[in-house]
Amino acid sequence: MIKTRIANKFDIKGVLTLQEKYLYKNLTEQERDSGFVTTPFTIPQIEEIIAQDGLFIAEHETSIIAYAFAGSWEYFKQWDIFTFMISRFPKLSFNEKEITTKNSFQYGPVCIDKNYRGQGVLNLIFEEMRIELFKKYPVSITFINKINIVSEKAHTKKLGWQIIEEFKFNNNTYITLAFDMKTSVINSSN
């Protein structure tokens, strides 16, 4: 049985193991076709997001099979791409509302072990995160590298994220997506 929960400091090793397994730079071109993560989190960065209740995990027996990061823009500003995204907010809206650092948060990355993909794990871990962060934020924002087609389809088809823009950063093309946090994904098709 797969369980989801907010991560704690004892989960760091399992998160790092999963991260290394699916980090873009560690995969062959063929392996990348199945999805990947690009942001390598350090132990201090993981400890910081855990302290903010912003790391969620799915586990099967004693193994971490998935993780999802979610946090304030203040936390994510330590990476240049997020500062760039924040600078674009005045031009963006979602459900006829402006997007700000106060009414939204950054979701992602999310990583699921390939042996558990297609089994509803994404919906389970996302719902765990959604319930927790909906207490503070009505909107979630994320971005996906346009070449990561698996991730784009998973988020738009399985979870119902909406693409709100496309942008270029460091010679890559990304899509920005938004999600209405009051919408449960547990009954979505997996």
Side-chain angles (χ1 to χ4, degrees):
M1 184 163 147
I2 295 170
K3 296 178 183 172
T4 58
R5 61 178 171 80
I6 297 174
N8 62 56
K9 64 181 180 179
F10 301 108
D11 299 318
I12 294 173
K13 184 178 179 190
V15 169
L16 287 171
T17 299
L18 195 59
Q19 172 182 269
E20 283 302 303
K21 191 173 179 181
Y22 295 103
L23 201 56
Y24 182 86
K25 68 178 186 167
N26 296 340
L27 300 173
T28 66
E29 198 165 320
Q30 185 178 1
E31 289 170 327
R32 291 174 187 157
D33 290 343
S34 298
F36 53 86
V37 291
T38 55
T39 306
F41 288 84
T42 64
I43 290 173
Q45 290 165 336
I46 295 171
E47 289 172 338
E48 184 181 347
I49 199 72
I50 286 173
Q52 297 174 22
D53 290 335
L55 180 58
F56 301 84
I57 61 154
E59 55 189 350
H60 182 244
E61 297 171 356
T62 59
S63 296
I64 293 177
I65 60 161
Y67 64 75
F69 282 76
S72 69
W73 293 104
E74 191 60 38
Y75 170 77
F76 279 98
K77 278 194 330 190
Q78 58 191 302
W79 293 277
D80 292 342
I81 192 166
F82 296 104
T83 303
F84 180 76
M85 286 179 67
I86 292 167
S87 76
R88 301 184 63 74
F89 284 0
K91 302 175 193 123
L92 302 176
S93 65
F94 176 63
N95 289 345
E96 300 178 8
K97 292 184 179 143
E98 66 179 7
I99 295 169
T100 69
T101 57
K102 301 285 184 237
N103 73 358
S104 70
F105 68 97
Q106 160 61 30
Y107 157 77
V110 60
C111 182
I112 301 171
D113 187 287
K114 70 179 180 180
N115 297 320
Y116 293 89
R117 293 177 189 167
Q119 300 177 33
V121 175
L122 178 62
N123 291 64
L124 292 173
I125 199 167
F126 186 86
E127 186 69 4
E128 182 82 31
M129 179 278 306
R130 186 194 70 80
I131 290 167
E132 186 63 29
L133 273 87
F134 182 52
K135 297 171 188 174
K136 294 186 214 172
Y137 303 102
V139 176
S140 181
I141 301 292
T142 196
F143 70 96
I144 299 172
N145 190 314
K146 203 157 181 189
I147 63 170
N148 197 345
I149 295 165
V150 170
S151 184
E152 178 185 344
K153 285 184 179 176
H155 285 85
T156 57
K157 305 287 187 233
K158 291 184 179 185
L159 299 177
W161 283 76
Q162 294 178 32
I163 298 171
I164 59 171
E165 78 155 343
E166 189 174 294
F167 68 92
K168 291 191 181 303
F169 185 81
N170 281 350
N171 299 317
N172 290 298
T173 303
Y174 298 92
I175 52 173
T176 303
L177 300 95
F179 184 85
D180 185 335
M181 291 295 285
K182 71 177 177 279
T183 307
S184 174
V185 298
I186 218 60
N187 295 324
S188 296
S189 61
N190 325 16

